[in-house]
Amino acid sequence: MPNSKAKVPCNRRGGQEAGRRELVSRSLQSAQHCLEDQDFGTAYAHYLLVLNLAPELKTSVKETFQFTLFKWAEELDSLARIQDLFNCYEQALELYPNDEVICNSMGEHLFRMGFRDEAAGYFHKAVKLNPDFADAKENFYRVANWLVERWHFIMLNDTKRNLTYLKAIENAVRSGCKSVLDIGTGTGILSMFAKKAGASSVYACELSKTMYELACDVVAANNMEREIKLLHLKSLDIEIPKHIPERVSLVVTETVDAGLFGEGIVESLIHAWEHLLLQPK
């Protein structure tokens, strides 16, 4: 009797597995028929079911799934069903989180809709996943031309200006300013100046997602990713101790062109003085 009872769960599991295989097989056949009829929405739904029921098939159906996703996304785009389009890409990226082709395609849709900062993030991820992916690299450079202001390059090549900032930061750190906040870090150059000058704690905030990711790359390339805390935040939104653990003794910024008004740097500096800077005794 005990043996016969023990066989029941095993038989049940066997039946469930057979049912799963049958459902997966039928869904694959249905998806193929839908593709032949150019019913991409229904085909996409079938592939979602298949991949959730049989994740072991991810590799074998990957290319067909991508094709179906892209065709269905084109239809959704033409129908102005933007939220449905984004939902499809979110579902696809849950199944294939490290797929550079899907990331690049998502970025292309975002770019066409005017979400350039968000598009740059997906292009950047695609390039990170596959540095040889030519389409993603071209897309990333194209969107970067929209987002990275020309004056960044001028400033980075202004040796006199940079040396002046470096000396000023060195003097401040030597005089006792050991914790530094860099507002609008851009490429991260002032943060790296502060760390090289001997600051014990360096924090940097950048509102632009593209510039924030660029700063992360630059800081990592200089082996300082563990020494400089980068925040994708507006300085007005920084809270202690939620984002940084302490009040800082020095605030640095390079936003001294038209951004003085356009980027709210005056308000940022007042905020830093009142809430983030150590108060003088």
Side-chain angles (χ1 to χ4, degrees), residues 86 103-104 106-126 140 143 147 207-211 213 232:
F86 287 152
C103 285
N104 182 65
M106 176 66 158
E108 289 176 337
H109 281 286
L110 287 166
F111 184 78
R112 284 195 295 271
M113 294 174 192
F115 301 108
R116 293 181 180 130
D117 213 16
E118 293 82 357
Y122 281 98
F123 294 145
H124 183 259
K125 181 179 179 180
F140 181 69
V143 75
L147 295 172
L207 182 59
S208 165
K209 190 175 190 324
T210 302
M211 293 308 300
E213 292 180 344
H232 181 213

Side-chain angles (χ1 to χ4, degrees), residues 1 11 13 18 21 24 39 44 59 75 108-110 123 141 161-162 165 194 199 216 244 247 266 273 277:
M1 184 66 68
N11 291 337
R13 284 196 300 271
R21 287 198 301 266
V24 168
D39 182 0
Y44 175 76
T59 301
E75 284 192 23
E108 289 176 337
H109 281 286
L110 287 166
F123 294 145
Y141 294 146
R161 175 192 176 97
N162 292 336
Y165 269 105
C216 289
I244 61 176
R247 290 176 178 266
V266 174
W273 175 260
L277 269 169

Side-chain angles (χ1 to χ4, degrees), residues 27 30-35 39-48 65 68:
S27 293
S30 297
Q32 189 58 44
H33 291 319
C34 289
L35 287 178
D39 182 0
F40 300 113
T42 307
Y44 175 76
H46 281 298
Y47 278 118
L48 279 184
F65 174 76
T68 307

Side-chain angles (χ1 to χ4, degrees), residues 1-9:
M1 184 66 68
N3 289 338
S4 61
K5 287 183 180 180
K7 291 179 181 179
V8 173

Side-chain angles (χ1 to χ4, degrees):
M1 184 66 68
N3 289 338
S4 61
K5 287 183 180 180
K7 291 179 181 179
V8 173
C10 182
N11 291 337
R12 185 178 301 164
R13 284 196 300 271
Q16 290 175 343
E17 176 61 22
R20 182 187 74 92
R21 287 198 301 266
E22 177 66 19
L23 181 56
V24 168
S25 177
R26 288 184 178 181
S27 293
L28 283 173
Q29 291 175 9
S30 297
Q32 189 58 44
H33 291 319
C34 289
L35 287 178
E36 292 170 0
D37 295 335
Q38 297 190 351
D39 182 0
F40 300 113
T42 307
Y44 175 76
H46 281 298
Y47 278 118
L48 279 184
L49 177 62
V50 167
L51 290 169
N52 279 288
L53 287 174
E56 68 272 13
L57 297 178
K58 282 184 180 181
T59 301
S60 60
V61 304
K62 179 178 177 179
E63 289 187 9
T64 309
F65 174 76
Q66 288 174 343
F67 172 80
T68 307
L69 167 66
F70 300 156
K71 286 294 186 181
W72 179 224
E74 288 176 7
E75 284 192 23
L76 292 173
D77 194 5
S78 67
L79 296 170
R81 292 171 56 183
I82 306 306
Q83 190 56 57
D84 289 335
L85 185 153
F86 287 152
N87 289 342
C88 286
Y89 273 96
E90 287 175 3
Q91 293 166 339
L93 287 170
E94 285 181 7
L95 292 167
Y96 296 97
N98 296 317
D99 188 286
E100 69 274 18
V101 178
I102 295 177
C103 285
N104 182 65
S105 181
M106 176 66 158
E108 289 176 337
H109 281 286
L110 287 166
F111 184 78
R112 284 195 295 271
M113 294 174 192
F115 301 108
R116 293 181 180 130
D117 213 16
E118 293 82 357
Y122 281 98
F123 294 145
H124 183 259
K125 181 179 179 180
V127 174
K128 282 284 190 181
L129 290 168
N130 182 0
D132 297 323
F133 189 7
D135 287 350
K137 286 197 291 186
E138 182 180 345
N139 284 332
F140 181 69
Y141 294 146
R142 178 166 54 122
V143 75
N145 284 330
W146 285 89
L147 295 172
V148 180
E149 300 288 349
R150 297 296 95 192
W151 50 262
H152 274 290
F153 302 103
I154 297 172
M155 287 196 305
L156 288 172
N157 288 283
D158 189 339
T159 303
K160 183 177 180 180
R161 175 192 176 97
N162 292 336
L163 287 176
T164 301
Y165 269 105
L166 175 59
K167 290 178 182 178
I169 291 172
E170 286 177 342
N171 289 338
V173 172
R174 287 169 185 164
S175 68
C177 296
K178 296 297 184 181
S179 54
V180 180
L181 171 64
D182 180 5
I183 294 177
T185 191
T187 59
I189 188 171
L190 297 189
S191 296
M192 292 187 290
F193 283 171
K195 196 62 196 178
K196 287 182 178 179
S200 57
S201 303
V202 179
Y203 313 100
C205 63
E206 175 57 54
L207 182 59
S208 165
K209 190 175 190 324
T210 302
M211 293 308 300
Y212 164 76
E213 292 180 344
L214 177 61
C216 289
D217 285 345
V218 172
V219 168
N222 285 272
N223 299 314
M224 293 187 182
E225 65 270 28
R226 294 184 179 179
E227 302 175 48
I228 298 173
K229 182 173 182 179
L230 289 160
L231 302 167
H232 181 213
L233 280 174
K234 190 176 182 180
S235 63
L236 295 171
D237 296 331
I238 296 176
E239 298 178 17
I240 299 171
K242 182 179 179 181
H243 301 114
I244 61 176
E246 60 184 330
R247 290 176 178 266
V248 298
S249 52
L250 176 66
V251 171
V252 297
T253 183
E254 253 185 322
T255 317
V256 292
D257 63 346
L260 183 64
F261 303 102
E263 296 187 19
I265 195 64
V266 174
E267 291 85 351
S268 297
L269 290 175
I270 292 173
H271 172 76
W273 175 260
E274 293 178 345
H275 302 286
L276 305 174
L277 269 169
L278 290 169
Q279 299 297 313
K281 296 179 181 179

